[in-house]
Amino acid sequence: MFTGIIEAQGHIGALIPSNGDVTLRIQSADLDFADVRLGDSIAVNGVCLTVTELAGGDTFSADVSGETLALTSLRQLKAGSRVNLEKAMTPSTRMGGHLVSGHVDGLGKVVSLTPDARSVRIDIEAPAELARYIAKKGSITVDGISLTVNEVDGRVFSLNIIPHTQDVTTIQDWKAGTPVNLEVDIIARYLERLLLGERAAEPGSGGITMAMLAEHGFVK
C-alpha cells in the first residue's frame, strides 16, 4: 500500500526486453534506499513494482509484465524518462495522501493545462468505465500522485496543482495528450461491491447500474 505522496523522482536508466516482458532499470539520487530490500514494493508512476535487483546504492530493477505494459503508461517510457517514486508505506508512515494500492484502474489523458495564479488547472479525461468513481472533492491517484478532484464534468475531471507539487513530480512534463495512470479511491470500489449485497455472489453481477439503484430507491 502507498499514500500517493511522491518521495522522489527518478529516471529510466534502461529498458531491457525479455520474452515479451521488460525489465526497468531505474536510478534516483533522491530516493532513500537505506531500507529497501529485494522483494520490496516501489510505486513507479503509480504502478506497484517489485524490486528484483539493487545496484550502486541509487539504482533498482523491476520486471514489468506484458499485461502491465498494455494497461498502463509504462509502455510510453524510454531511457531518460522521468518517473515518480514512492516506497511502500509502513505502520508509522504519515498518511498525507490517501490509501493507494498501486494497481492502476485505467489510462487517462491530459486534456488541457491552464495557468491559475501560481497554480495550474489540469483537466484530465478518464475512461468511461471509471467516471462513476470520480467525485468532486474526492481523491484520485494520477501517475502515483494523490490529488483532490476540484470539478467533474462527465468523463473530465479538474485538478488544481500548486507549485510545490509541480516541482517535485513529473507533472512538469505533462502536456495536452499525455497519457496518465489513474487509480480511483479504493473506498469507492468497496462501496460499490457492498451495495450489490447478495448479488455480488452471482456470476456476471458486474457493478452498480441505474436499474439496480432505481430498484432500491436511490433514483426515481
Side-chain angles (χ1 to χ4, degrees):
M1 297 294 293
F2 306 90
T3 68
I5 302 300
I6 303 303
E7 294 185 69
Q9 292 184 71
H11 69 270
I12 303 299
L15 299 91
I16 306 167
S18 178
N19 297 321
D21 295 344
V22 168
T23 297
L24 292 181
R25 189 165 294 152
I26 301 167
Q27 185 174 18
S28 176
D30 299 321
L31 189 69
D32 182 6
F33 284 91
D35 60 350
V36 177
R37 303 289 183 267
L38 293 182
D40 284 356
S41 296
I42 295 180
V44 179
N45 279 1
V47 183
C48 178
L49 299 179
T50 300
V51 175
T52 58
E53 184 181 0
L54 291 165
D58 65 354
T59 302
F60 72 96
S61 295
D63 293 332
V64 183
S65 69
E67 180 179 9
T68 300
L69 290 172
L71 298 177
T72 71
S73 66
L74 294 188
R75 65 177 181 268
Q76 308 285 339
L77 297 177
K78 55 187 178 182
S81 293
R82 249 192 308 214
V83 290
N84 297 317
L85 302 174
E86 182 191 354
K87 295 183 292 186
M89 64 187 292
T90 68
S92 60
T93 300
R94 290 181 183 271
M95 277 297 297
H98 68 285
L99 289 176
V100 176
S101 69
H103 302 154
V104 172
D105 290 305
L107 273 176
K109 181 179 69 174
V110 175
V111 176
S112 63
L113 301 91
T114 307
D116 184 2
R118 294 189 304 121
S119 299
V120 60
R121 174 191 169 111
I122 301 179
D123 290 345
I124 296 176
E125 183 179 58
E129 64 271 17
L130 296 184
R132 66 179 181 268
Y133 303 110
I134 303 171
K136 183 176 180 179
K137 302 305 178 184
S139 296
I140 192 166
T141 308
V142 184
D143 272 0
I145 310 163
S146 173
L147 297 168
T148 300
V149 177
N150 280 17
E151 300 287 345
V152 181
D153 183 9
R155 293 170 53 181
V156 177
F157 62 94
S158 300
L159 309 166
N160 190 75
I161 309 298
I162 62 174
H164 174 75
T165 305
Q166 297 176 57
D167 292 341
V168 300
T169 69
T170 58
I171 288 176
Q172 59 194 285
D173 299 328
W174 293 358
K175 55 187 178 182
T178 297
V180 288
N181 295 318
L182 302 180
E183 181 184 334
V184 298
D185 190 350
I186 193 171
I187 296 175
R189 286 286 196 187
Y190 282 118
L191 281 174
E192 179 183 50
R193 192 69 175 167
L194 285 168
L195 284 171
L196 286 173
E198 294 181 357
R199 294 188 182 186
E202 300 174 4
S205 58
I208 303 283
T209 64
M210 291 302 294
M212 180 256 189
L213 290 174
E215 180 183 341
H216 289 80
F218 288 100
V219 295
K220 295 181 179 180

